Amino acid sequence: MFIIELTLKTNPIPLSVQRKSEEEAQTTYQAVVDAMKAGGNQLLELTCDRQSEKKLAIFADNLAAVQMYEKSSASSSGRTPGFFSMAES
């Protein structure tokens, strides 16, 4: 299972969706990055493969960061990979 984690500019708590395959995760990640590059009020609608009732709708201009990583049972610390830094707006 792969996690796509979104960080909003105004909220330090990340939002995430899961994808079953790496290819699907890469496609979702790239769609989010492309929307961030395009700017404007583009609305991203995402669903979660693991929890089909989980849905997110986010304006691309509210995104501060996106990261993709593989969920592994080996990491039991509860901490996600990568790093987090707040930027001044």
Side-chain angles (χ1 to χ4, degrees):
M1 196 61 75
F2 291 83
I3 312 278
I4 293 41
E5 190 173 270
L6 308 170
T7 303
L8 302 176
K9 290 178 181 175
T10 59
N11 188 352
I13 300 172
L15 305 173
S16 65
V17 293
Q18 296 180 344
R19 294 287 179 257
K20 293 178 184 175
S21 72
E22 185 175 6
E23 294 83 27
E24 292 172 345
Q26 285 286 354
T27 301
T28 302
Y29 173 84
Q30 194 58 52
V32 173
V33 169
D34 291 344
M36 290 172 72
K37 286 180 181 178
N41 268 349
Q42 183 177 355
L43 182 66
L44 292 171
E45 296 183 75
L46 304 172
T47 58
C48 184
D49 285 355
R50 185 167 185 227
Q51 299 171 322
S52 58
E53 70 281 353
K54 183 178 182 179
K55 298 177 184 182
L56 299 173
I58 305 153
F59 284 113
D61 61 348
N62 288 326
L63 291 172
V66 61
Q67 71 173 331
M68 182 187 91
Y69 57 92
E70 186 172 7
K71 182 178 180 179
S72 69
S73 57
S75 84
S76 60
S77 68
R79 300 184 75 192
T80 59
F83 59 92
F84 183 78
S85 176
M86 292 289 290
E88 296 277 332
S89 357

